[in-house]
Amino acid sequence: MKAAQISKAGGDWELVDREIPVPNEGQVRVKVEACGICHSDVLVKEGAWPGLQYPRVPGHEIAGRIDAVGDNVIGWSAGKRVGIGWHGGHCFVCAQCRRGDFAMCVNRKVTGIDFDGGYAEYVVVPALALASIPDEVPAEEAGPFMCAGLTVFNALRNSGARGGDVVAVHGIGGLGHLGVQYARRMGFETIAINRGNDKQDLAHELGAHQYIDATATDVVAELQKRGGAKVILATAPNAQAISGLVDGLAPGGVLLVPAAPSEPLTISVFSLIMKRSSVAGWYSGTAKDSQDTLEFSALSDVHPMIEKYPLDEVAEAYERMLSGKARFRVVLTVGA
Ligand SMILES: [Zn+2]
Ligand SMILES: [Zn+2]
């Protein structure tokens, strides 16, 4: 099979021929149809993940079809359309697993980091990492739902915001363009915040009730005109901009940060205390959360905006993702 691998930290993309892998007990083999390129794939490319073993095939936004099933796999069969995301396994025996909080497993595995991912024609994964793809979701859209979509969907639905609450999405990019769609369809008063006005019309098309241009408007004052935001989903990885949003929260509100800026945040704890507000991270989700993301997206007509590249053009596709200019997720199409 054809695969795109990295063989050392900071190495170049290598297109290689490999043996088609065989699923062991509890695993399935998936014939890959599409795999999104996530900014986290930088961890593999540049060797920023402790203990990562090379060579490694990255890719944790996988969509394809089960092609072979190992022993003792229950509920999955060849031919089934499936997606695989960041969450690549859990141990079932640690304290978090015993509580059923598999995403927080201390021995959790990450697809495309702990084992080879989807920049390849085939991938072998644990059956517990599988999400079922609804018929109406094409593979190239299912891919980005498996990390970008899941992360913002799961962050918002667990944020404590209720129907009618003000939810602001900061940054209209790979995560944010999905965040706006989910926030609107979950029944929130949805405010999109971005720099400049070139994404204003798009934000409204995606479902935003209001658009705030952060270069022309005092974002905090604008949010406070609505009583403050119950949730601000900060998707632009800019520490200074994110830090400034905290005063835009409503009492009890939360500034949710699902993607890490490289610099630390600088936040006045005084403003957190006075509003009993908080700042929180969000970590991905399990395979069932991914399946919920896919099903909600199909049900309520949420779509990622994508740019497609064939697997052979992985280097160009990766550079396009890194440039920040893609609208909005880059997806490798495989074996089409
Ligand atoms: Zn990702
Ligand atoms: Zn565990």
Side-chain angles (χ1 to χ4, degrees):
M1 69 168 186
K2 197 158 58 178
Q5 69 178 29
I6 295 292
S7 57
K8 62 172 196 277
D12 290 328
W13 292 103
E14 300 167 6
L15 279 164
V16 294
D17 283 317
R18 288 191 173 194
E19 291 291 316
I20 294 176
V22 176
N24 292 321
E25 185 173 6
Q27 298 178 326
V28 303
R29 182 171 69 211
V30 173
K31 189 171 194 306
V32 179
E33 292 169 1
C35 186
I37 297 185
C38 179
H39 193 271
S40 303
D41 296 338
V42 169
L43 299 169
V44 177
K45 175 80 166 59
E46 303 304 333
W49 188 269
L52 194 133
Q53 305 280 309
Y54 291 98
R56 180 58 73 227
V57 177
H60 58 267
E61 287 192 343
I62 305 168
R65 205 176 276 273
I66 295 177
D67 152 89
V69 178
D71 290 339
N72 292 325
V73 170
I74 299 164
W76 301 97
S77 55
K80 180 90 184 131
R81 296 182 68 227
V82 291
I84 303 100
W86 176 265
H87 185 85
H90 48 270
C91 75
F92 288 105
V93 296
C94 76
Q96 303 312 321
C97 282
R98 290 175 63 204
R99 289 193 181 93
D101 191 0
F102 301 128
M104 290 295 114
C105 171
V106 296
N107 301 306
R108 65 195 177 199
K109 298 282 182 278
V110 179
T111 307
I113 286 185
D114 290 305
F115 56 88
D116 284 332
Y119 291 21
E121 289 177 311
Y122 294 88
V123 64
V124 164
V125 300
L128 60 77
L130 298 172
S132 180
I133 302 177
D135 291 343
E136 53 269 58
V137 181
E140 63 268 25
E141 291 194 11
F145 283 136
M146 300 308 297
C147 182
L150 157 73
T151 300
V152 291
F153 174 77
N154 221 17
L156 285 173
R157 73 170 175 166
N158 289 293
S159 68
R162 302 188 299 171
D165 282 346
V166 174
V167 170
V169 177
H170 175 251
I172 308 300
L175 295 176
H177 88 290
L178 292 165
V180 169
Q181 294 180 69
Y182 288 127
R184 172 62 185 256
R185 287 154 178 83
M186 287 178 186
F188 305 137
E189 183 178 342
T190 303
I191 301 179
I193 307 166
N194 206 71
R195 293 175 59 80
N197 56 17
D198 59 318
K199 290 180 183 163
Q200 180 164 1
D201 290 345
L202 175 65
H204 286 299
E205 282 163 31
L206 295 171
H209 294 99
Q210 189 189 343
Y211 178 85
I212 302 175
D213 171 1
T215 62
T217 314
D218 180 341
V219 175
V220 166
E222 204 59 39
L223 291 175
Q224 289 304 341
K225 279 184 199 165
R226 327 286 274 214
K230 187 74 183 173
V231 172
I232 301 175
L233 183 71
T235 72
N238 176 329
Q240 198 189 347
I242 293 173
S243 301
L245 295 170
V246 118
D247 291 321
L249 290 172
V254 57
L255 175 62
L256 258 183
V257 191
S262 51
E263 302 294 320
L265 302 187
T266 48
I267 284 171
S268 158
V269 176
F270 187 71
S271 63
L272 296 181
I273 291 171
M274 294 314 278
K275 287 203 183 125
R276 218 191 298 127
S277 55
S278 56
V279 180
W282 186 261
Y283 181 89
S284 191
T286 62
K288 188 63 172 78
D289 293 316
S290 303
Q291 188 166 326
D292 292 346
T293 305
L294 290 163
E295 288 169 359
F296 182 89
S297 303
L299 189 68
S300 48
D301 206 24
V302 173
H303 300 275
M305 293 171 65
I306 58 172
E307 296 182 6
K308 293 191 281 185
Y309 288 77
L311 181 61
D312 290 347
E313 293 174 24
V314 61
E316 293 87 337
Y318 178 82
E319 286 307 316
R320 179 72 177 157
M321 178 281 296
L322 267 191
S323 76
K325 292 184 181 136
R327 283 206 171 192
F328 283 102
R329 296 294 283 189
V330 178
V331 179
L332 295 171
T333 53
V334 184

